[in-house]
């Protein structure tokens, strides 16, 4: 079974509903966010970070705030208590604890991600079959196309969450 990164857009009220449900039902938070607010990033996060690192920050025109935003978009923060989603026997994450970003953090991340010209970063790196090993992952097919698809999905996911004032929850499953 492959372990992949998952993201969900939820309201703070939804998280509170999960807390109440867990308190009444032996710890079961009844975690089931809407399918339209779910993003499966597959195993792209490691390679997305590596593109930013390998392309070179200053020479690629990438700001430190943008790299930090990408990191937060993929790692979450400690600002939200997700104990209810990280507690046995109902943890949602297979590897490590679930994390989250508040609606305010999501808005900041979305604004910074929107400024990243990911195709330009990829243009600074070798193309074809030499790209995947350079980034530390194994992939059949075109790595640049795979990474572009996942980066654009991540951008759109955060922009949509920010527009709707939602928080994000992140986990590896």
């Amino acid at each position: 079974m492959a372990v992949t990164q998952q993201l969900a857009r939820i309201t703070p009220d939804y998280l509170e509903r999960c807390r109440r449900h867990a308190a009444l039902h032996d710890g079961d938070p009844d975690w089931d966010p809407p399918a339209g607010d779910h993003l499966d990033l597959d195993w792209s996060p490691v390679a997305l970070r590596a593109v930013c690192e390998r392309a070179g920050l200053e020479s690629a025109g990438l700001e430190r705030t943008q790299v930090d935003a990408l990191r937060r978009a993929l790692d979450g923060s400690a600002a939200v208590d997700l104990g209810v989603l990280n507690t046995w026997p109902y943890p949602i994450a297979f590897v490590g604890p679930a994390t989250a970003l508040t609606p305010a953090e999501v808005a900041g991340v979305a604004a910074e991600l929107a400024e990243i010209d990911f195709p330009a970063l990829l243009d600074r790196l070798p193309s074809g079959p030499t790209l995947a090993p350079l980034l530390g992952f194994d992939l059949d097919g075109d790595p640049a196309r795979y990474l572009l698809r996942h980066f654009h999905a991540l951008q759109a996911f955060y922009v949509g969450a920010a527009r709707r004032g939602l928080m994000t929850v992140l986990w590896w499953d």
Side-chain angles (χ1 to χ4, degrees):
M1 170 175 63
V3 177
T4 61
Q5 187 170 39
Q6 309 295 310
L7 290 83
R9 297 180 287 213
I10 63 169
T11 65
D13 288 342
Y14 181 83
L15 181 57
E16 187 55 37
R17 186 203 64 77
C18 288
R19 288 183 180 122
R20 286 191 308 271
H21 193 276
L24 296 171
H25 298 92
D26 295 323
D28 179 3
D30 192 32
W31 173 255
D32 189 23
D37 285 318
H38 175 258
L39 175 64
D40 181 345
L41 278 181
D42 201 31
W43 50 82
S44 68
V46 170
L48 292 173
R49 284 188 191 105
V51 167
C52 293
E53 293 167 5
R54 299 276 192 224
L57 300 177
E58 295 80 22
S59 59
L62 200 62
E63 301 286 332
R64 173 55 57 192
T65 56
Q66 293 168 331
V67 175
D68 289 343
L70 179 61
R71 181 190 51 75
R72 288 191 320 274
L74 298 171
D75 294 342
S77 77
V80 179
D81 174 14
L82 292 180
V84 69
L85 301 180
N86 290 322
T87 304
W88 188 88
Y90 301 105
I92 65 170
F94 182 73
V95 176
T99 60
L101 293 173
T102 67
E105 290 172 317
V106 165
V109 164
E112 292 292 339
L113 288 179
E115 297 298 317
I116 296 175
D117 184 353
F118 204 76
L121 293 176
L122 285 171
D123 285 345
R124 300 187 58 78
L125 300 173
S127 61
T130 60
L131 179 58
L134 176 70
L135 300 176
F137 77 115
D138 185 24
L139 178 71
D140 292 331
D142 182 3
R145 184 172 165 172
Y146 170 86
L147 292 169
L148 275 172
R149 181 169 37 97
H150 284 85
F151 182 79
H152 289 308
L154 183 69
Q155 272 184 323
F157 187 82
Y158 272 96
V159 167
R163 187 177 326 113
R164 294 168 49 205
L166 299 175
M167 63 187 298
T168 58
V169 174
L170 305 88
W171 69 100
W172 287 86
D173 190 18

